[in-house]
Amino acid sequence: MKQQRTGTARSVTDGLKLHRHVVRSPGRTHTVITLRPGTHARFSTNRFHETWHVLSDDHGSRLLGRLLWGLSYQARPGTVVLIDRAFLTPNPFDAEPPDPILLVPGWCTPFDDRIAGQLKRRLPLSKPEGTVRWQTFGLDRTLEPAALEGWWSRYHHRRHRGRVTRGQGLVALTPSSPDEARAWALSAMSLDASGPTTPTSARTTGATTVRSRSSAASGRW
């Protein structure tokens, strides 16, 4: 499979190029969006205080934010984003192997253990059917300090029903609404991973808390 150029492998800008796969299983078809080979980002998963977390460094947090913000515009049922083995590394606390990560738009795509199992059996996905440009309209403008504060002031009046679950060997981040997906995106992109390698508090977004950790302190990413 064709590798990215070095200059684009670290890109986390609007219009990020991603791969599109079509995964067919009995009774349903999923469009699975994946990172392109050579993408410079690594993630891990960890269960801490009865909560599943996705871990990365500053760069990975910004990429995760882009993926979540772009997902918030998804209206077609059956589209999910997958972060698979090529972009995973053992977690920094006990070196446990991580699980593949799915981003699921809970407002339009049903997802349960049976569907998770069907997808997991098809991994790894190796032959994309095309390339997409991942649009993140309004994200950069919203990240400006004044706009960001105003966004959170409006959002905190809303109910949060999103969840982070593990089933069939997959960790699924499932925001319940487009606004919740955007809230999780802003949380991820606002993280400061310059601290110690223990889990640190971040903005809580309903069902989950997005976490990060320092790449410099551990040397893993």
Side-chain angles (χ1 to χ4, degrees), residues 126-196:
S126 58
K127 294 183 179 180
E129 300 203 10
T131 300
V132 300
R133 289 281 187 178
W134 200 247
Q135 304 296 333
T136 53
F137 304 110
L139 174 56
D140 294 313
R141 182 176 63 252
T142 304
L143 286 169
E144 295 174 2
L148 185 61
E149 190 63 32
W151 195 97
W152 281 115
S153 295
R154 294 187 297 274
Y155 177 76
H156 281 318
H157 296 291
R158 303 172 190 179
R159 299 185 65 182
H160 317 298
R161 298 189 181 92
R163 62 192 187 278
V164 177
T165 57
R166 182 183 185 277
Q168 303 295 324
L170 299 173
V171 171
L173 281 68
T174 310
S176 64
S177 68
D179 271 348
E180 190 166 35
R182 291 169 195 149
W184 291 8
L186 293 173
S187 291
M189 297 198 77
S190 300
L191 290 176
D192 178 4
S194 60

Side-chain angles (χ1 to χ4, degrees), residues 92-114:
F93 309 119
D94 52 21
E96 286 293 315
D99 296 305
I101 300 160
L102 275 177
L103 311 182
V104 182
W107 58 93
C108 66
T109 297
F111 191 79
D112 56 23
D113 273 1
R114 183 169 61 89

Side-chain angles (χ1 to χ4, degrees), residues 51-64:
T51 301
W52 280 99
H53 300 85
V54 172
L55 304 107
S56 189
D57 59 4
D58 283 330
H59 180 77
S61 296
R62 291 193 299 273
L63 176 57
L64 180 63

Side-chain angles (χ1 to χ4, degrees), residues 197-215:
T197 57
T198 55
T200 56
S201 296
R203 185 186 297 274
T204 301
T205 56
T208 185
T209 303
V210 184
R211 308 282 185 171
S212 186
R213 57 103 163 160
S214 169
S215 58

